Amino acid sequence: MADDKKHAEIDAALVRQLAEILNETDLTEVEVERGELRIRVAREVTVNAAPVQYAAAPAPAPIAAPAAAAAPVSMPSDPATIVARAGEEVKSPMVGTAYLQPSPEAAPFVQPGDKVKKGQTLLIVEAMKTMNPIQAPRDGVVADILVGDGQPIEFGEPLVLLEA
């Protein structure tokens, strides 16, 4: 019995440590395995705040300036830079895989030209086997979807372009 109590205390301390790691790193899930003991700590991500933070108005300006300087060298990225100035980029809050529909047989969440409301799901980013909905930071019209279905994406990568 005392041995069981000791394991419970150790587990509680480990759970607290894992929860602290989640908070410090903005991860959505962490798992530890020690012998027969396996602990998984996860949290539900509220994506409303994240896209607003990453898609705030100041973000496109620093991105546009270096791209404009590189325009003569890299013609394929130049049209993307011009499009990015025409609307607000909704950027990925994490590394993962983009999915444009909830399942392979389903219709896409949104298509270019669709009107969207703040909080409406635009697409899903799968990270560590967790599906994270990426929601519209504001009302607007989908000007362009900048990623393909099943495409690997990076943190901060533009996913969708919204216009007023």
Side-chain angles (χ1 to χ4, degrees), residues 45-92:
V45 177
T46 304
V47 186
N48 266 351
V52 172
Q53 178 184 0
Y54 297 118
I63 293 169
V73 177
S74 178
M75 291 305 285
S77 67
D78 188 40
T81 303
I82 293 168
V83 171
R85 292 182 191 148
E88 178 182 356
E89 293 176 338
V90 178
K91 297 182 180 184
S92 178

Side-chain angles (χ1 to χ4, degrees), residues 16-29:
R16 283 187 192 98
Q17 288 176 335
L18 294 175
E20 286 178 25
I21 291 170
L22 284 180
N23 288 332
E24 292 171 0
T25 61
D26 289 332
L27 292 173
T28 57
E29 181 178 319

Side-chain angles (χ1 to χ4, degrees), residues 10 53 59 61 65 72-73 77 98-99 101 105 108 111 119 122-123 136 140 150 156:
I10 292 170
Q53 178 184 0
V73 177
S77 67
Y99 292 104
Q101 63 254 8
E105 326 63 54
Q111 295 181 346
L122 302 172
L123 54 93

